Amino acid sequence: MSAAGHRISAIAEAVGGHATCADDPVIAHLSIDSRKAFSSADTLFIALRGQRHDGHRYVRELFARGMRHFMVMDDVDADIAKGSIIIRVADTLDALQRLAGWHRAHFNIPVVGITGSNGKTVVKEWLFHLLRDSEHIVRSPGSWNSQVGVPLSVWNMRTEHTLGLFEAGISEPGEMEHLRSVIRPTIGIFTNIGPAHGAGFTSDAKKAEEKALLFTEAGTVVHCADHARVVDALHALGINQRAAMRGWSRERNGWLHVVREEAHGACTRIHVSNEAVDFSFEIPFTDDASVENALHCVTFLLHLGRSPEWIAQRTPQLPPVSMRLETVEGMHGITLLNDAYSNDTASLAIALDQLDALAAGRPKAVVLSDLVGSGEGIEARYERVGQLLQRARLGTVLTIGPELAQHKSIDAEHVMHFATADELLDGVDPATLADHVVLVKGARAFELERVAQRWQRQVHGTVLEVDLEAIRHNLNHYRSKLAPGVRTMAMVKAFGYGAGALELARLFAHENVNYLGVAYADEGVDLRQNGIDLPILVMNPEPVPFEVMHRFALEAEVYDARSLRESIHAATHVNDAPAVHIKLDTGMHRLGFVEAELPQLLESLREAKRLKVASILSHLAAAEDPEQDGFTRAQITAFTRMATAIGEVLGYKPLWHVANSAGITRWPQAHFDMVRLGIGMHGIGMDATETALLLPAAALRTPIAQLKQLHDGDTVGYNRRGRISGSRTLATLPIGYADGLSRRLGNGIGRAWIAGQPAPFIGHVCMDMCMVDVTGIACGVGDMASVFDRDHPVADVARDMGTIAYEVLTSISQRVKRVYVRG
């Protein structure tokens, strides 16, 4: 291989494929996502096929954009084959994994494979933080630990690297052997075994053994010797006979003994010893998971030969690991993508990809600090940074630090250099970045978090955290149930079910959703004014001047004689009038033409030659309820009968759609041409079984504002409704009914969650605040309380309120800051 990559002929031979090539270029980059930017000279696009996607669909689009190297399973069109180099294989995923394994075999450096139920990413990132000054490290970006993420991570190995850190995650038997052959770890770290990702395994013991397969050829395995499942799995596979076991233990079962753990303030001091060492180190965390992750790291470092003094000097600076980039609304229409706590080329590449996806055509800017302690030479480091920034096609780059100021290859329309964050804040008016998407990316030492904080629009401490990766997962869950060609409409009405319509619309545009649905024209106008160009259906009856619908290309729902007359009149007098959607009432009895009105509807359509009908729709009243299946079948039958008659009069078949989220799951015969996705995308299925397959998409959190001690007989809140028995500790939270926390909660109904423990509401919920009982919970002012989150579902809050999750989500006030994260 060359320093940059491999010849394409060698790649073809490595994967057992056939290449059509006259030239033999060097391939440095692999791409599996047609939406991402690429350099055409040295990128190979691999067309992966799965249940929910097929990369072959995008080959022609990529060819038109300049891609000239493809790995495919299917034949490509003759003009593409003639103008490109094509590697033809039987299975592109298998070929990707074989390619990465072949690439890995070119390197003889320590490679660490990390697996377990939890903690993989934190252990990897902490090891990177601890070792980056002395090693040139290649590692999995983010949480790239899947069948696709692992080979893409390993492909990043280059001759200058001295250490590899790679995660491996699995969800079913048979997967780890594929990942083992790619990573080929010389050292293993087995974090733990818990309930995560257990659905595909018959028991925790079987899951542990499957994960342990990663270490069958490793020379050393780091683990907790007190975790019986982990130890049993290593013994069952005979790994303990072949590898050096580096277990840590609180029970004197391992190579390293944990003598004592003492929490003080926000830190934990840990004393460890074995035959060679006896010392203490400190970490800036007190939770059990962080202590466990730190002990894995320290055990590994001792195995590498790092001295106790070296370790103790560095562990107090361990950073919190944010595995998700946060997106928040900034002033002047700015959208901020905040990653102000880490900076290296691998995470910069990921952040720039997310910036591009988030921008959706808007101008892009980056605030970037110097890279600290990457282990590689400065010239090579910033040459790579320059290449990444050039590929991102940025309008503005603002740098902080002396090294970037000296680097001359940053390519952007506007480049400014600053010595410190303060200098940047004094020298840049954020109004000059109005309507930009701005990535703030920096090492902790440069304090770029202050830039993100200063440029945010809202500062209310209560936040609704929206996980865009969870929404994408849920979207794909429902898409996987659809036949090829069935389209999707994503509902973003009611401020996107409380999550924020604009950011969801940008996500859905990036995910190639076909339509957006809103309730009122104002919602559609706002999306159009913010650059959303997907087709938008306005579904509710509020009369809106046709000029508004026409100017913003909004498509109206026609549901009665009046709306039909207005639409026909508009179509008659305006050449490019938007198409309409005909709503049929098949039993919901809310909006729509009933079957008795069908003859008059058909007569009107017969005469309306210029009216364009985009779709015919209805609404299933009880798709989720088995007791109402007879009614649902009757609705589907009536819709089919009425829609068929309309199509015969029109002379063409518009799109048909009736299925909502529950209808997608339970009524495949009702998928027709398009389905409408709403609450399911937010992680709420029609029942517990389906909900378990989805990911919760939102978390409502608020900081503790004050703690106080109350005593027997004291009262809390308005009308003295909260009454204290004994001595209790009370916390005041800055969230109230003006934020969307219902007054149906309070007085012992419902709870917040603090440090994983329930804190019941006491007294009435106030307009801007509420009070909770935190007696016995270790917490302080500023600690976060959750009303609902991934572990405490919004459905539980709805149950306490005697309502449905829709109401809880859509009631969250827009004064609550929305923070967008990705997985």
Side-chain angles (χ1 to χ4, degrees):
M1 63 175 287
S2 71
H6 298 279
R7 294 286 179 186
I8 202 165
S9 59
I11 290 175
E13 182 178 354
V15 300
H18 173 68
T20 60
C21 53
D23 299 324
D24 197 10
V26 172
I27 297 297
H29 308 289
L30 304 180
S31 173
I32 62 167
D33 190 338
S34 64
R35 298 164 298 193
K36 293 182 178 179
F38 58 84
S39 56
S40 57
D42 58 1
T43 300
L44 173 67
F45 178 75
I46 302 177
L48 297 179
R49 177 176 291 149
Q51 285 185 323
R52 304 165 184 166
H53 61 267
D54 187 352
H56 295 82
R57 298 175 185 170
Y58 307 105
V59 167
R60 175 158 291 283
E61 173 197 333
L62 285 164
F63 180 74
R65 288 168 50 198
M67 182 71 77
R68 290 297 179 265
H69 316 119
F70 298 91
M71 184 184 292
V72 297
M73 293 186 283
D74 300 341
D75 289 333
V76 299
D77 293 340
D79 59 323
I80 298 176
K82 184 178 180 180
S84 305
I85 298 176
I86 308 294
I87 300 177
R88 180 73 179 271
V89 295
D91 184 328
T92 46
L93 175 59
D94 175 70
L96 169 62
Q97 293 171 343
R98 292 170 63 185
L99 173 58
W102 170 77
H103 176 70
R104 160 70 180 91
H106 287 74
F107 302 91
N108 185 26
I109 62 173
V111 171
V112 183
I114 308 170
T115 194
S117 296
N118 303 104
K120 297 183 292 295
T121 300
V122 174
V123 168
K124 179 202 68 190
E125 292 301 313
W126 280 359
L127 288 177
F128 172 77
H129 177 84
L130 292 163
L131 290 164
R132 64 184 181 182
D133 291 334
S134 54
E135 303 282 354
H136 188 185
I137 299 171
V138 57
R139 74 194 197 280
S140 308
S143 298
W144 285 22
N145 56 32
S146 67
Q147 298 292 301
V148 173
V150 167
L152 291 176
S153 300
V154 170
W155 176 260
N156 290 325
M157 293 181 76
R158 293 293 181 264
T159 54
E160 63 267 22
H161 292 127
T162 62
L163 178 67
L165 303 172
F166 299 109
E167 297 179 47
I170 57 171
S171 57
E172 58 186 47
E175 291 184 335
M176 188 57 85
E177 182 55 34
H178 295 293
L179 301 186
R180 186 206 62 76
S181 66
V182 174
I183 299 175
R184 301 181 189 179
T186 60
I187 304 171
I189 300 178
F190 201 149
T191 59
N192 51 48
I193 282 291
H197 312 297
F201 300 94
T202 57
S203 67
D204 281 350
K206 291 296 184 184
K207 180 169 62 175
E209 289 183 20
E210 178 71 20
K211 288 180 179 292
L213 286 172
L214 179 62
F215 311 129
T216 53
E217 297 179 2
T220 303
V221 179
V222 173
H223 64 288
C224 175
D226 302 333
H227 286 184
R229 293 291 190 202
V230 171
V231 173
D232 290 347
L234 295 172
H235 283 243
L237 297 176
I239 294 171
N240 63 308
Q241 301 297 320
R242 300 188 295 272
M245 294 290 100
R246 294 294 182 255
W248 59 267
S249 170
R250 295 181 173 94
E251 302 171 6
R252 295 190 177 275
N253 291 330
W255 179 74
L256 184 69
H257 174 49
V258 181
V259 179
R260 188 168 53 256
E261 302 163 66
E262 297 174 336
H264 54 95
C267 301
T268 302
R269 190 161 188 81
I270 304 168
H271 188 152
V272 296
S273 70
N274 64 12
E275 294 179 355
V277 299
D278 187 345
F279 72 105
S280 296
F281 64 93
E282 189 172 277
I283 62 171
F285 307 95
T286 58
D287 60 288
D288 292 342
S290 293
V291 171
E292 179 180 77
N293 292 332
L295 284 165
H296 288 313
C297 292
V298 168
T299 304
F300 172 80
L301 293 171
L302 288 170
H303 168 73
L304 285 190
R306 296 304 194 269
S307 69
E309 295 77 16
W310 188 96
I311 294 170
Q313 183 181 10
R314 287 163 173 77
T315 55
Q317 282 76 50
L318 285 173
V321 176
S322 175
M323 289 168 281
R324 301 173 291 184
L325 299 185
E326 293 184 348
T327 304
V328 296
E329 187 177 350
M331 57 181 67
H332 306 296
I334 293 170
T335 299
L336 289 169
L337 184 60
N338 184 16
D339 189 15
Y341 296 100
S342 66
N343 202 15
D344 58 89
T345 54
S347 62
L348 176 61
I350 293 176
L352 289 171
D353 282 342
Q354 292 203 18
L355 175 69
D356 190 61
L358 185 63
R362 292 178 291 163
K364 296 176 291 187
V366 169
V367 179
L368 183 68
S369 81
D370 285 351
L371 278 64
V372 176
S374 73
E376 63 182 319
I378 288 180
E379 287 303 318
R381 181 191 315 167
Y382 290 109
E383 181 179 355
R384 172 68 172 148
V385 169
Q387 292 170 350
L388 291 171
L389 296 177
Q390 181 179 16
R391 193 171 68 179
R393 300 187 301 275
L394 303 168
T396 299
V397 176
L398 308 175
T399 76
I400 297 178
E403 294 177 353
L404 278 165
Q406 296 172 14
H407 190 65
K408 305 301 182 185
S409 64
I410 295 176
D411 183 19
E413 294 177 22
H414 306 287
V415 181
M416 298 177 67
H417 302 292
F418 302 91
T420 65
D422 284 331
E423 188 177 304
L424 182 145
L425 288 169
D426 290 340
V428 176
D429 181 353
T432 61
L433 297 173
D435 301 316
H436 280 59
V437 185
V438 180
L439 169 64
V440 180
K441 178 82 173 142
R444 288 181 66 85
F446 290 93
E447 299 181 318
L448 263 64
E449 68 273 11
R450 296 195 296 114
V451 176
Q453 291 166 359
R454 181 83 65 86
W455 290 359
Q456 285 184 30
R457 189 176 72 85
Q458 292 173 300
V459 294
H460 186 16
T462 298
V463 300
L464 182 72
E465 183 180 278
V466 181
D467 188 340
L468 297 179
E469 186 61 25
I471 291 176
R472 188 190 70 81
H473 167 90
N474 299 335
L475 168 66
N476 285 335
H477 165 81
Y478 288 102
R479 277 177 159 174
S480 71
K481 299 178 180 295
L482 306 178
V486 176
R487 305 182 188 195
T488 52
M489 176 184 292
M491 306 307 299
V492 293
K493 61 182 180 177
F495 197 54
Y497 287 63
L502 181 57
E503 289 305 325
L504 295 194
R506 288 169 177 154
L507 171 68
F508 297 143
H510 189 252
E511 294 298 323
N512 297 311
V513 163
N514 303 98
Y515 256 93
L516 299 176
V518 298
Y520 295 102
D522 286 350
E523 296 173 320
V525 169
D526 185 62
L527 294 177
R528 287 284 186 253
Q529 289 178 329
N530 282 280
I532 301 301
D533 58 8
L534 285 174
I536 298 176
L537 167 59
V538 180
M539 304 189 75
N540 277 15
E542 185 177 70
V544 176
F546 170 76
E547 186 273 332
V548 173
M549 303 293 285
H550 177 237
R551 177 154 51 100
F552 291 100
L554 304 176
E555 302 176 14
E557 183 178 278
V558 171
Y559 55 88
D560 64 0
R562 177 194 60 80
S563 57
L564 179 61
R565 282 195 307 273
E566 292 176 356
S567 296
I568 292 173
H569 180 268
T572 303
H573 292 87
V574 179
N575 288 331
D576 59 346
V580 300
H581 302 253
I582 297 176
K583 179 69 173 287
L584 304 178
D585 182 357
T586 59
M588 183 77 169
H589 297 328
R590 190 169 61 180
L591 290 177
F593 295 94
V594 297
E595 196 156 13
E597 297 172 311
L598 186 62
Q600 183 58 51
L601 170 62
L602 296 177
E603 185 61 30
S604 298
L605 292 174
R606 191 174 286 112
E607 298 173 0
K609 302 299 184 184
R610 297 185 62 180
L611 183 70
K612 295 176 288 186
V613 179
S615 81
I616 307 170
L617 68 148
S618 188
H619 198 101
L620 300 180
E624 73 281 358
D625 188 352
E627 293 185 2
Q628 301 294 334
D629 282 356
F631 186 84
T632 302
R633 289 190 188 92
Q635 279 196 276
I636 295 169
T637 299
F639 174 81
T640 303
R641 184 169 58 245
M642 295 169 71
T644 298
I646 292 171
E648 289 173 350
V649 166
L650 293 174
Y652 58 90
K653 183 180 182 295
L655 299 173
W656 291 10
H657 52 110
V658 301
N660 54 8
S661 298
I664 294 171
T665 300
R666 296 197 67 239
W667 297 97
Q669 66 268 46
H671 291 175
F672 297 124
D673 303 301
M674 185 160 65
V675 297
R676 301 191 300 271
L677 265 168
I679 196 68
M681 291 187 297
H682 297 266
I684 300 164
M686 65 175 185
D687 55 25
T689 299
E690 181 170 71
T691 298
L693 300 174
L694 304 173
L695 296 178
L700 181 60
R701 298 191 173 99
T702 189
I704 295 175
Q706 186 178 21
L707 291 169
K708 58 182 60 180
Q709 296 297 318
L710 298 184
H711 304 288
D712 194 60
D714 285 340
T715 59
V716 179
Y718 288 113
N719 305 117
R720 304 184 67 202
R721 288 299 180 88
R723 295 190 175 273
I724 299 298
S725 297
S727 295
R728 314 297 294 175
T729 304
L730 197 76
T732 300
L733 308 178
I735 182 173
Y737 58 78
D739 300 295
L741 188 69
S742 173
R743 289 188 85 246
R744 282 174 278 179
L745 301 171
N747 297 304
I749 299 174
R751 67 208 59 79
W753 294 88
I754 300 173
Q757 299 184 58
F761 294 113
I762 298 181
H764 286 313
V765 172
C766 309
M767 178 182 288
D768 307 300
M769 288 171 280
C770 66
M771 288 69 74
V772 295
D773 186 347
V774 295
T775 305
I777 301 175
C779 58
V781 171
D783 288 353
M784 296 302 288
S786 293
V787 178
F788 55 83
D789 56 26
R790 179 166 291 199
D791 298 318
H792 310 102
V794 65
D796 290 353
V797 180
R799 182 196 61 230
D800 291 337
M801 290 171 52
T803 185
I804 56 178
Y806 296 74
E807 181 181 350
V808 178
L809 292 173
T810 58
S811 296
I812 298 170
S813 167
Q814 292 194 36
R815 83 176 186 181
V816 173
K817 181 170 64 177
R818 270 64 176 176
V819 175
Y820 299 93
V821 300
R822 290 182 179 260

